[in-house]
Amino acid sequence: MSDRLMPQSERAPSWIRRNRQAMAPFLFLLPGVLFFLFYVIFPVIQSFNLSFYRWDGLGEPVYVGLENYTELMDDRAFEVSLWNNFKWLFLYLLAIPAGLAIALFLNQNVIGIRLYKSLFFFPFVISQVVVGLVFSWFYDPSFGLLNQILGFFGFGTLNVLGDPTLVTYGIIAAGLWPQTAYCMILYLTGLNAVDPEQVEAARLDGAKGLRMLWYVIIPQLRPATFIAFVVTIIGALRSFDLISIMTNGGPFGSSRVLSFYMFEKALSEYGFRMGYGAAIAVVLFLIMLLFIGYFLWSMYQEEKGGR
Amino acid sequence: MNLLKGTVAGLAMTVGLAASAQAAELSGTLKIFSDMSNPAPRAVIEQLAADFDALHPDLTVELTVIDREAYKTQIRNFLTANAPDVANWYAANRMRPYVSAGLFEDVSDLWQEPEIAENLASTKGAMTLDGQQWGVPYTYYQWGVYYREDIYKELGLEEPKDWEGFKSNCQKILDSGRKCFTIGSKFLWTAGGWFDYLNMRTNGYDFHMALTNGEIPWTDDRVRATFAHWRELIDMGAFIDNHQSYSWQEALPFMVNGEAAAYLMGNFAVAPLREAGLTDEQLDFYQFPAINPDVELAEDAPTDTFHIPSGAQNKEAAREFLRYVVSADVQTDINGGDKLGQLPVNSASSVDDDEMLNQGFEMLSSNSPGGIAQFFDRDAPAEMASVAMEGFQEFMVFPDNLDDILNRLEKTRQRAY
């Protein structure tokens, strides 16, 4: 009642006053939006723009139109990197079922289970650089554990990181180690939220084993699966550090992915082709955009369903 | 050690007296950015800065040492944004981006001074681009074949003088169950060393320079001849297996353990080999032998340099520092066996009494009539160098891919120059 009288008591209510309610959310958003514009949107636009230039980072940029992109079209190194990116995207997803399997295995109450859980989580805690080093020793052709084992069973040596056909798989295997641990922890928290009454009811109906898992448990783990999917895709697309540590893109560029190739062309010792690097970055961005679009869409659907 | 420091200070004093006689006393701050981050070079640059500071009481020397690898990318930022007065870099085409962007000061005036013009003549070419000089060298080192003297003696081998001897030696080493050469090509440039030598021995220095300057197509038959020689070694199994997985340091143990008999490398490999336990009786050096008797021998001898950025604040002091660094006594001192352990650039300096340095100095001063190259990745522009060295590595693993590799290099050549 008094609220309604308030505006009348002031002779000329200001525009801000009248629209306070409507303005508030935008004001709260403003700092975030500004940062997002400045640190994300603006650089994206800049990269797009730069990809139409030839620039060594020092002199004047020269506008070359689509030349960088036509060069990408028949650049074999780019093709190899692109394929490797897809291998990473696809095979990295193995971390999700592997993480689920370990989580199910660890989701029990025995003495010391916390210790086991932390041990399984350990690879995610250590730095990717350490993971890379450990695996490059594991693969080492002269003293690595892998070849010791192969030798023990009478197989010849395998130089995983020196073989252009195997190298990417070798690095992905190294990447899966921490990523599986990450998915495992997501599923462990997800399993805590599984409704025991539903499990009970299913059991009364005679469901067990795989049927129980498939029809009762996994549907309830949907949120965890979604997050695991998101972080794994992101992890696969930023698979830079392992490659840099384990092979430096080699042998002869066969383990490069787009992000590494972009770095090499634009920022490494022999690089400084900023425009070309930007063109690679744009392609990488478009691939990411597909996934980002999907994530946003599915989150939007979820929100709608939740209402 | 104290005695040594005393001598150095004494040397510094004399040089300083001579210098201050001609120049007005320097003042202000001299900012030096250096990439001499490994232990021995770091001690050298710190000493240079301290001595130069002591020589000029009104001048404060500020030294920033940056990790050698990180420096290669950082130099772009600090040259444009926050230029020091003196900066390290490399000679030849490696200077090109900064010279064309106008970021290095033209120091041709220094090279007119008789002190420098006469004593540094041998490296003038490496410092010259577009007819001007853009910095001064402070050290260089030879490349060549470092080998296990004891293994050679055991097998009754001599230092080879020609290609046939080179190969027959290698065959005997292979027959004894060892590899002829260790190499770690993970970071590619080591393969560039092999290409440099094989190409300079097959086609000569001038051809090599024309090739790295982009004047000759990579699909040329003469280039193929170089690769054919390389292939002879690869087919023999001369190189260690899996070299694509090792860095140059990781390839050292093969030689230390006697699994490989030799290493084509720069003189910087000697220190770690000695530290790993090889004695002077076990380690020796020979010049890469002639392949084509009609071409003159030429060598790789990469030169490290000092430059004045064009944005420097205290160019007068910077010029004086450059004069100081290349002066004969300082050159003798910093290149000594207990310091950098390399070759002085000043011909009036003396070379430290070290088996390898003496041989290297002898080789470069009297047995390299063809010329002195910098190194593949310094002679060729960056883009060409990276693609080419990747091709060399691929060739060493899959020699059958040669046609494909050469076509790729040729495509890069047509774009890069």
Side-chain angles (χ1 to χ4, degrees):
Chain A
M1 284 279 257
S2 60
D3 277 288
R4 214 187 290 165
L5 288 174
M6 271 287 279
Q8 287 171 345
S9 70
E10 281 176 36
R11 232 168 275 161
S14 70
W15 185 88
I16 294 180
R17 232 164 222 292
R18 270 182 288 127
N19 295 286
R20 236 182 346 197
Q21 283 284 323
M23 290 269 295
F26 291 101
L27 280 175
F28 279 115
L29 272 177
L30 191 66
V33 168
L34 280 182
F35 274 90
F36 189 71
L37 279 178
F38 191 74
Y39 288 110
V40 179
I41 302 295
F42 179 59
V44 168
I45 295 170
Q46 233 180 356
S47 297
F48 269 89
N49 182 43
L50 191 56
S51 71
F52 300 115
Y53 288 84
R54 189 190 307 129
W55 188 42
D56 67 354
L58 291 172
E60 280 298 302
V62 184
Y63 181 79
V64 292
L66 288 173
E67 193 183 278
N68 285 325
Y69 291 95
T70 46
E71 193 189 325
L72 274 184
M73 285 301 153
D74 64 355
D75 180 349
R76 188 119 45 99
F78 171 74
E79 201 179 303
V80 169
S81 316
L82 190 62
W83 273 116
N84 281 341
N85 251 102
F86 287 125
K87 283 183 199 165
W88 270 90
L89 279 173
F90 189 70
L91 290 173
Y92 223 49
L93 292 177
L94 287 177
I96 297 175
L100 176 63
I102 298 176
L104 289 169
F105 173 65
L106 289 178
N107 191 39
Q108 44 185 310
N109 282 314
V110 289
I111 298 164
I113 191 70
R114 277 166 186 252
L115 177 69
Y116 304 139
K117 281 181 188 171
S118 8
L119 285 179
F120 272 93
F121 190 55
F122 176 69
F124 185 69
V125 181
I126 56 178
S127 146
Q128 294 264 304
V129 175
V130 178
V131 173
L133 275 177
V134 168
F135 267 82
S136 40
W137 292 331
F138 173 70
Y139 289 136
D140 188 285
S142 50
F143 61 79
L145 188 61
L146 178 70
N147 283 305
Q148 303 282 346
I149 297 171
L150 287 177
F152 181 78
F153 289 107
F155 298 104
T157 53
L158 200 59
N159 183 7
V160 176
L161 297 183
D163 183 331
T165 53
L166 290 179
V167 61
T168 297
Y169 302 108
I171 303 175
I172 294 174
L176 280 176
W177 191 44
Q179 192 64 28
T180 303
Y182 194 8
C183 292
M184 177 203 78
I185 214 80
L186 290 172
Y187 277 121
L188 273 176
T189 47
L191 283 171
N192 279 337
V194 168
D195 185 358
E197 284 176 18
Q198 284 192 26
V199 178
E200 200 72 7
R203 199 162 279 158
L204 285 178
D205 287 346
K208 26 178 189 188
L210 282 178
R211 284 177 71 87
M212 170 79 107
L213 179 67
W214 189 251
Y215 290 106
V216 181
I217 308 289
I218 291 187
Q220 294 194 56
L221 288 176
R222 248 205 88 185
T225 310
F226 181 70
I227 299 292
F229 184 65
V230 173
V231 296
T232 307
I233 292 292
I234 293 172
L237 285 170
R238 14 172 265 185
S239 50
F240 178 89
D241 24 18
L242 281 177
I243 294 169
S244 168
I245 290 294
M246 294 175 72
T247 62
N248 202 31
F252 28 93
S254 37
S255 65
R256 279 193 288 239
V257 294
L258 289 180
S259 54
F260 192 84
Y261 191 44
M262 172 195 71
F263 168 80
E264 255 192 19
K265 282 287 168 193
L267 300 165
S268 76
E269 187 184 345
Y270 301 113
F272 298 109
R273 295 186 63 201
M274 295 299 180
Y276 197 59
I280 301 168
V282 165
V283 174
L284 185 60
F285 176 73
L286 294 178
I287 297 174
M288 285 182 171
L289 207 56
L290 283 182
F291 287 98
I292 295 170
Y294 167 74
F295 293 150
L296 288 178
W297 177 77
S298 74
M299 276 199 275
Y300 177 68
Q301 294 294 320
E302 206 128 301
E303 289 278 292
K304 260 200 330 199
R307 287 267 158 87
Chain B
M1 208 48 206
N2 265 332
L3 190 93
L4 194 91
K5 267 192 190 144
T7 350
V8 170
L11 284 177
M13 289 295 280
T14 30
V15 174
L17 283 175
S20 54
Q22 51 172 285
E25 197 42 59
L26 302 164
S27 59
T29 325
L30 178 72
K31 280 202 294 178
I32 304 175
F33 281 11
S34 172
D35 68 344
M36 298 160 76
S37 62
N38 293 329
R42 193 186 182 104
V44 166
I45 185 71
E46 279 169 356
Q47 179 212 324
L48 278 175
D51 289 349
F52 193 70
D53 190 77
L55 276 176
H56 303 280
D58 296 339
L59 186 75
T60 323
V61 179
E62 279 177 17
L63 171 68
T64 310
V65 180
I66 299 166
D67 173 73
R68 197 170 168 90
E69 293 305 313
Y71 189 92
K72 289 172 182 168
T73 46
Q74 284 185 20
I75 185 172
R76 301 184 147 245
N77 300 337
F78 67 66
L79 281 185
T80 43
N82 173 31
D85 300 308
V86 173
N88 279 121
W89 194 236
Y90 309 100
N93 243 325
R94 264 301 183 75
M95 305 188 292
R96 174 79 64 189
Y98 309 108
V99 170
S100 9
L103 292 172
F104 278 164
E105 170 100 346
D106 180 355
V107 293
S108 304
D109 54 324
L110 281 180
W111 286 84
Q112 307 281 320
E113 294 170 10
E115 176 76 10
I116 291 180
E118 285 159 23
N119 293 333
L120 268 65
S122 63
T123 46
K124 188 172 184 181
M127 303 307 303
T128 306
L129 281 179
D130 310 329
Q132 314 287 330
Q133 287 78 45
W134 304 94
V136 295
Y138 68 90
T139 187
Y140 71 138
Y141 51 89
Q142 81 268 20
W143 269 65
V145 183
Y146 295 86
Y147 71 99
R148 285 287 299 268
E149 209 175 347
D150 50 342
I151 296 180
Y152 270 55
K153 275 204 186 105
E154 179 196 321
L155 301 173
L157 302 176
E158 295 281 314
E159 294 184 359
K161 291 278 168 269
D162 55 17
W163 185 237
E164 288 311 314
F166 194 66
K167 281 188 297 177
S168 68
N169 273 357
C170 180
Q171 193 54 52
K172 283 184 195 132
I173 294 166
L174 287 171
D175 292 342
S176 75
R178 300 177 179 99
K179 291 289 185 181
C180 310
F181 300 104
T182 183
I183 178 174
S185 63
K186 181 175 178 184
F187 294 100
L188 309 177
W189 55 268
T190 47
W194 273 95
F195 178 78
D196 275 355
Y197 273 100
L198 288 163
N199 196 38
M200 285 193 292
R201 292 291 183 269
T202 309
N203 298 309
Y205 175 84
D206 295 332
F207 178 88
H208 187 67
M209 285 297 135
L211 182 68
T212 50
N213 271 326
E215 291 151 23
I216 292 166
W218 280 86
T219 43
D220 191 289
D221 279 339
R222 289 168 293 179
V223 180
R224 283 179 193 279
T226 300
F227 281 98
H229 285 131
W230 202 345
R231 175 140 199 183
E232 287 180 57
L233 294 177
I234 295 167
D235 286 347
M236 286 168 78
F239 301 99
I240 59 165
D241 296 326
N242 300 319
H243 55 78
Q244 70 270 34
S245 305
Y246 304 120
S247 66
W248 76 266
Q249 293 100 329
E250 287 167 329
L252 289 168
F254 293 96
M255 181 148 161
V256 175
N257 300 336
E259 292 163 46
Y263 203 172
L264 177 68
M265 247 306 138
N267 197 57
F268 52 82
V270 173
L273 285 172
R274 283 183 179 151
E275 269 160 35
L278 293 185
T279 61
D280 284 351
E281 283 75 48
Q282 287 175 298
L283 197 60
D284 205 353
F285 171 85
Y286 65 78
Q287 186 174 16
F288 199 97
I291 294 178
N292 178 352
D294 301 331
V295 302
E296 291 179 316
L297 297 178
E299 297 297 321
D300 266 346
T303 309
D304 292 351
T305 55
F306 277 109
H307 302 267
I308 306 177
S310 45
Q313 301 295 315
N314 198 347
K315 288 181 181 171
E316 199 193 336
R319 281 195 156 74
E320 191 54 39
F321 183 76
L322 262 45
R323 281 189 203 107
Y324 173 73
V325 168
V326 298
S327 61
D329 295 334
V330 173
Q331 276 297 308
T332 308
D333 178 51
I334 65 171
N335 284 299
D338 54 340
K339 303 277 176 67
L340 292 175
Q342 297 184 358
L343 299 171
V345 293
N346 191 316
S347 59
S349 307
S350 52
V351 182
D352 194 67
D353 190 19
D354 171 275
E355 190 190 355
M356 307 297 171
L357 288 181
N358 283 333
Q359 293 190 57
F361 186 73
E362 174 76 23
M363 172 178 88
L364 291 174
S365 48
S366 61
N367 204 15
S368 177
I372 290 178
Q374 286 300 310
F375 192 72
F376 190 79
D377 67 353
R378 300 187 190 184
D379 291 321
E383 191 188 351
M384 189 69 237
S386 70
V387 177
M389 294 193 303
E390 200 169 290
F392 300 158
Q393 189 200 30
E394 182 173 350
F395 175 73
M396 287 187 75
V397 184
F398 297 113
D400 288 337
N401 295 0
L402 181 62
D403 286 323
D404 189 38
I405 294 168
L406 290 181
N407 289 333
R408 217 179 317 150
L409 298 197
E410 175 57 16
K411 212 166 82 184
T412 308
R413 180 188 75 91
Q414 286 171 3
R415 195 189 47 242
Y417 292 94

